[in-house]
Amino acid sequence: MGNQDIVQKLWNLCNVLRDDGITYHQYVTELTYLLFLKMMKETDNETILPEEYRWDSLTTRHGTVLQQHYRKLLLDLGIQGNEIIKQIYLNASSNINEPKNLEKIITSIDQLDWYSAKEEGLGDLYEGLLEKNASETKSGAGQYFTPRPLIDVIVKLVDPQPGERCNDPAAGTFGFMIAADRHVRSKTDDYFDLGEKDAEFQKNKAFTGVELVKDTHRLAMMNAMLHDIHGEIMLGDTLSNDGESLKNFDVIMTNPPFGTKQGGERPTRDDLTFTTTNKQLNFLQHIYRALRANGTARSAVVLPDNVLFESGVGAKIRADLMDKCNLHTILRLPTGIFYAQGVKTNVLFFTREKTDKDSTKDVWVYDLRTNMPSFGKRTPLTKAHFDAFVTAYTAENRTKVEDERFNVFTRAEICKKDDSLDIGLIADESLSAYDNLPDPIDSAEEAMAKLEEALALLGEVVAELRAVETKQNAYEESKQELLKVAETTGVYNNE
């Protein structure tokens, strides 16, 4: 049994929890709590866990005794043990209400082919589970899961090197940094070509990140640990004061969250030159300021179309970017590859120069959007879709590349258009409004996922209301009993 089969078996267990009203994302979080304990046993690392909370403590208990033990385990591991354990179990709680469902999942995990899983790599198994989650419910998990083929292409072109400090300020499940680690390992014989000090740097300091959402941070910690990466993954907000200390990186690769700051408030950071409620513009400012100004520090960042053309502050930020950095390439991505159909995104590739003025001379734009398939479950994005772009990007002389999708624009041309970077899309009269409509099956599945999520939330509300009602009824009954006792004993008065 390969990892794909194990991932599917684990995923099928989600059906067990449907009656408990558990969403896909809650299920993956719940699995993370349990898989961590099982994987510690399989890798002979259980000594980092208190003896009473190791995997076998779950397989030897049943029913309500098991459920009570599990909930105590989650609570205690979040406040004791080493730092990794505390971060994975920080504020952990279980959404599984039925003891039989919990027991079913534990038994099923215990019976999986763990020998095969270890042979293929437990990190790859866990990544497969995260990828399955993202593909199954684009309305939720896909918000933080960048497609693996896109990550791999970006990492290949940015080409992180041994000794470089790499960071993702919107880490999600840490996919970019794990791919970067894999890239450097492949070039150094799994770090054996490096000296002991350099190898330690790669494992403990080279790859870092920041993640705002607690549950996602938990998944990132687990993912990094299973890939033997121990760099800091901060739980915090890059656009708050947390981000001011994030500086002097050699490589930044990221896919920041879309949208505006909640409530329309501006970022709380004092060191950003331009203030706006647009999250992506603020992340863009953070990124090019956080790179070393040495002419080699570089970044690739996934951004929606509005960042390319937003006027006012947006134009000023783009101008500042092109002054401080050499924005050498923009990849116009196809639609439908992220969680929301129709969202149009791009990858900006740039290098932080030593000067703060006129660093960008020309911008090359590759149109991978026009006349591309409608991507979704039935037409998945693959590395092969990027082959022509990689060829153009890596060409020694780009002017000799014969590809109608690859075009160059001078800084002077861009300046005349209010520094708009909404450029380079092929004009094609054959395109109609219907060509970019989302796949109807994908749209239906997305709508179903949203309905399931809404029903789960309603279920939680109903459960809370019932709990309040039960407490109120119990209070009234107790009150009546006390009044009867008072009357019987003669202590009753109007008070």
Side-chain angles (χ1 to χ4, degrees):
M1 183 186 291
N3 273 352
Q4 286 188 338
D5 298 316
I6 295 175
V7 166
Q8 190 58 52
K9 280 184 173 291
L10 286 170
W11 196 252
N12 289 341
L13 292 175
C14 188
N15 296 324
V16 174
L17 302 180
R18 286 179 183 267
D19 291 339
D20 263 351
I22 291 182
T23 65
Y24 285 125
H25 186 61
Q26 287 173 327
Y27 172 61
V28 172
T29 302
E30 203 84 50
L31 266 186
T32 297
Y33 302 149
L34 294 167
L35 285 175
F36 178 84
L37 300 176
K38 178 61 175 173
M39 288 176 174
M40 289 304 97
K41 177 180 173 66
E42 295 297 326
T43 55
D44 297 321
N45 286 311
E46 282 192 302
T47 52
I48 67 171
L49 293 163
E51 191 169 352
E52 66 270 26
Y53 294 139
R54 295 174 186 175
W55 177 253
D56 289 343
S57 73
L58 297 173
T59 58
T60 55
R61 288 175 168 85
H62 308 282
T64 55
V65 174
L66 168 63
Q67 186 181 49
Q68 289 167 3
H69 172 74
Y70 178 56
R71 289 183 171 172
K72 189 173 188 301
L73 175 153
L74 295 180
L75 181 66
D76 289 350
L77 289 184
I79 57 178
Q80 60 179 271
N82 69 27
E83 198 56 36
I84 293 177
I85 294 172
K86 284 195 287 189
Q87 289 197 55
I88 289 177
Y89 290 94
L90 178 68
N91 297 322
S93 61
S94 176
N95 292 291
I96 303 174
N97 295 317
E98 285 291 333
K100 63 180 180 181
N101 289 343
L102 175 62
E103 191 167 343
K104 168 71 173 174
I105 290 172
I106 290 170
T107 302
S108 299
I109 290 174
D110 204 43
Q111 292 173 349
L112 290 173
D113 182 1
W114 287 99
Y115 177 80
S116 298
K118 284 187 287 185
E119 286 291 301
E120 291 194 33
L122 295 180
D124 290 343
L125 167 62
Y126 190 69
E127 268 198 289
L129 189 63
L130 296 178
E131 191 166 10
K132 183 73 173 173
N133 184 32
S135 67
E136 287 291 331
T137 170
K138 290 187 178 182
S139 62
Q143 291 188 45
Y144 61 81
F145 196 98
T146 309
R148 188 68 51 214
L150 177 58
I151 287 179
D152 290 340
V153 166
I154 288 174
V155 170
K156 177 182 178 179
L157 298 179
V158 173
D159 192 21
Q161 298 294 311
E164 291 190 317
R165 296 179 67 234
C166 304
N167 182 262
D168 185 344
T173 56
F174 217 51
F176 272 109
M177 295 298 99
I178 284 166
D181 170 73
R182 187 182 292 124
H183 177 81
V184 179
R185 284 178 185 270
S186 70
K187 291 190 162 192
T188 59
D189 189 23
D190 204 21
Y191 295 149
F192 284 110
D193 290 346
L194 304 179
E196 184 178 346
K197 186 177 179 181
D198 292 337
E200 285 301 309
F201 172 83
Q202 289 303 129
K203 291 181 181 180
N204 299 319
K205 294 182 179 178
F207 306 105
T208 59
V210 184
E211 174 52 41
L212 175 62
V213 181
K214 287 180 182 178
D215 276 349
T216 308
H217 177 259
R218 202 188 312 278
L219 303 183
M221 290 292 299
M222 177 79 162
N223 209 5
M225 183 204 69
L226 292 174
H227 285 90
D228 196 22
I229 302 174
H230 305 283
E232 181 183 15
I233 306 175
M234 182 193 301
L235 176 60
D237 184 359
T238 298
L239 300 183
S240 73
N241 291 334
D242 295 340
E244 292 185 18
S245 62
L246 302 171
K247 296 177 182 178
N248 297 318
F249 293 109
D250 300 292
V251 172
I252 296 177
M253 295 179 287
T254 187
N255 176 11
F258 301 164
T260 59
K261 288 284 284 181
Q262 192 172 12
E265 77 271 19
R266 298 182 185 280
T268 56
R269 279 177 65 164
D270 301 322
D271 63 333
L272 297 181
T273 308
F274 306 99
T275 57
T276 171
T277 59
N278 185 307
K279 278 185 182 179
Q280 300 82 49
L281 287 171
N282 286 323
F283 268 106
L284 182 57
Q285 282 190 88
H286 162 79
I287 291 163
Y288 66 74
R289 292 168 61 92
L291 291 170
R292 293 185 197 272
N294 60 3
T296 60
R298 57 215 180 275
S299 176
V301 52
V302 181
L303 295 166
D305 273 15
N306 70 76
V307 170
L308 304 187
F309 59 73
E310 188 170 306
S311 59
V313 174
K316 292 177 181 177
I317 291 172
R318 290 191 299 273
D320 193 41
L321 166 68
M322 288 185 280
D323 274 341
K324 291 182 170 65
C325 302
N326 176 17
L327 175 63
H328 52 82
T329 312
I330 297 176
L331 172 61
R332 309 300 301 264
L333 289 169
T335 58
I337 65 174
F338 287 103
Y339 66 99
Q341 289 289 346
V343 170
K344 297 176 179 179
T345 54
N346 316 269
V347 185
L348 274 59
F349 296 86
F350 51 88
T351 302
R352 182 73 160 89
E353 299 299 325
K354 296 177 182 179
T355 177
D356 281 354
K357 196 68 179 171
D358 299 327
S359 292
T360 298
K361 307 300 181 186
D362 300 299
V363 179
W364 286 85
V365 183
Y366 196 95
D367 177 9
L368 199 63
R369 184 178 300 169
T370 305
N371 286 333
M372 291 298 288
S374 177
F375 290 103
K377 279 188 188 178
R378 295 188 301 153
T379 311
L381 185 72
T382 67
K383 284 185 183 180
H385 290 111
F386 295 98
D387 285 350
F389 167 64
V390 171
T391 299
Y393 185 102
T394 55
E396 287 187 21
N397 186 346
R398 289 183 169 187
T399 60
K400 293 186 178 180
V401 175
E402 294 182 3
D403 189 333
E404 65 171 345
R405 294 183 179 274
F406 202 42
N407 294 285
V408 64
F409 299 83
T410 66
R411 180 74 179 85
E413 289 175 317
I414 294 169
C415 188
K416 289 177 183 177
K417 299 180 179 180
D418 194 27
D419 287 312
S420 172
L421 295 171
D422 191 15
I423 52 178
L425 293 176
I426 304 167
D428 190 336
E429 294 179 1
S430 71
L431 294 178
S432 71
Y434 297 102
D435 289 322
N436 288 322
L437 288 175
D439 186 296
I441 294 177
D442 285 345
S443 296
E445 288 178 342
E446 184 179 351
M448 288 172 64
K450 288 180 178 178
L451 284 171
E452 285 179 1
E453 193 172 346
L455 284 169
L457 290 171
L458 283 171
E460 290 176 12
V461 171
V462 169
E464 288 179 11
L465 289 173
R466 282 178 177 165
V468 170
E469 185 180 32
T470 301
K471 287 180 181 177
Q472 184 64 34
N473 290 340
Y475 169 77
E476 290 296 334
E477 289 175 7
S478 299
K479 180 180 174 183
Q480 294 301 322
E481 288 295 326
L482 285 171
L483 288 173
K484 287 179 182 177
V485 171
E487 287 178 352
T488 305
T489 54
V491 212
Y492 176 79
N493 57 44
N494 287 334
E495 292 182 0

